[in-house]
Amino acid sequence: MAEKRVVDRLEELRRRIDSLDEALVRLLSERAACALEIGRVKKLAGLDVYQPAREVEVLAHVQHINPGPLDDAAVRRLFERVIDEARRLERLAEAEEERRRSGIG
Amino acid sequence: MAEKRVVDRLEELRRRIDSLDEALVRLLSERAACALEIGRVKKLAGLDVYQPAREVEVLAHVQHINPGPLDDAAVRRLFERVIDEARRLERLAEAEEERRRSGIG
């Protein structure tokens, strides 16, 4: 490939990655908001927030629909991080709620 | 909330998460394919495949556009995993290529 063509092709691929990253950030943020909302609904209803069975289901689902080129173990690791961050956010929200309540009470 | 309404709301949120996960898997797969293609183009052109400056740029970009509720450190951790998996895939592809070449040669 001529140098100019290489540079153009790399630039095109990087622009595509940047736009994929923008979509990923949007979806990850929406997913985190949904996970927070699930935590709120469960807490209001007095249900247990942590659900290992649901996590197994989520991980099985994403591996099942994985089209490649990432292997299933990679997809699993990626979603383990996604789930971890949702859990972390949930804990932060709970701590914030506690603080607010003890500030009022 | 009445029990039925809680169950319905949780089911709705979980369905939404499942559909977000499907979109995430598609985008992550497309991103991984782009990263592999970048590696291929660079190798053909004799360029260095690893580019720490580009990784810094990618991480700055996703933190810059982060709308919340995830904090910037969480978004950073998520994309560090995404970049790690792309790098791992790249290494696997290279090893495969080497194996093929040494099989032929």
Side-chain angles (χ1 to χ4, degrees):
Chain A
M1 253 195 272
E3 202 183 319
K4 168 99 176 66
R5 275 195 56 207
V6 168
V7 171
D8 287 352
R9 178 71 179 133
L10 288 177
E11 207 168 288
E12 184 192 329
L13 286 163
R14 284 190 195 119
R15 270 203 306 270
R16 180 72 194 129
I17 284 188
D18 287 345
S19 110
L20 287 166
D21 285 350
E22 283 160 27
L24 282 166
V25 168
R26 271 197 303 277
L27 294 177
L28 288 166
S29 300
E30 200 190 327
R31 193 194 193 283
C34 280
L36 269 182
E37 175 67 6
I38 286 179
R40 264 194 296 268
V41 170
K42 281 173 153 182
K43 230 186 158 187
L44 276 173
L47 297 170
D48 197 3
V49 171
Y50 299 105
Q51 269 203 312
R54 171 63 182 157
E55 292 187 14
V56 170
E57 188 181 278
V58 164
L59 292 175
H61 178 226
V62 292
Q63 288 174 98
H64 180 70
I65 59 173
N66 174 28
L70 293 163
D71 58 34
D72 285 357
V75 168
R76 185 187 177 88
R77 282 190 296 269
L78 282 160
F79 278 84
E80 279 171 347
R81 169 101 340 261
V82 168
I83 292 169
D84 272 1
E85 294 301 341
R87 217 186 282 127
R88 195 177 156 275
L89 197 62
E90 179 66 36
R91 279 198 304 268
L92 286 173
E94 260 178 63
E96 177 61 30
E97 178 64 23
E98 283 302 318
R99 224 184 351 263
R100 205 161 35 219
R101 219 178 293 158
S102 66
I104 294 165
Chain B
M1 253 193 271
E3 201 182 317
K4 168 95 175 68
R5 275 195 55 208
V6 168
V7 171
D8 287 353
R9 179 71 179 134
L10 289 177
E11 208 168 287
E12 185 192 328
L13 286 164
R14 284 190 194 119
R15 270 201 307 267
R16 180 72 195 130
I17 284 187
D18 286 345
S19 108
L20 287 166
D21 285 350
E22 283 160 26
L24 282 166
V25 168
R26 271 196 304 274
L27 294 177
L28 288 166
S29 300
E30 200 189 326
R31 193 194 193 285
C34 281
L36 270 183
E37 175 68 6
I38 286 179
R40 262 192 299 264
V41 171
K42 281 173 152 181
K43 231 183 157 188
L44 276 173
L47 297 170
D48 197 4
V49 171
Y50 300 104
Q51 270 204 312
R54 172 62 183 160
E55 291 187 14
V56 170
E57 188 182 276
V58 163
L59 292 174
H61 177 227
V62 292
Q63 287 174 99
H64 180 69
I65 60 173
N66 174 28
L70 293 163
D71 58 35
D72 285 358
V75 169
R76 184 187 178 87
R77 282 190 297 270
L78 282 160
F79 278 84
E80 280 171 347
R81 169 103 338 264
V82 169
I83 292 170
D84 272 2
E85 294 300 343
R87 216 185 285 127
R88 196 178 155 275
L89 197 61
E90 179 66 36
R91 278 198 304 269
L92 286 173
E94 260 177 63
E96 177 61 31
E97 178 65 23
E98 284 302 318
R99 225 186 350 264
R100 208 165 29 222
R101 220 177 294 158
S102 66
I104 294 165

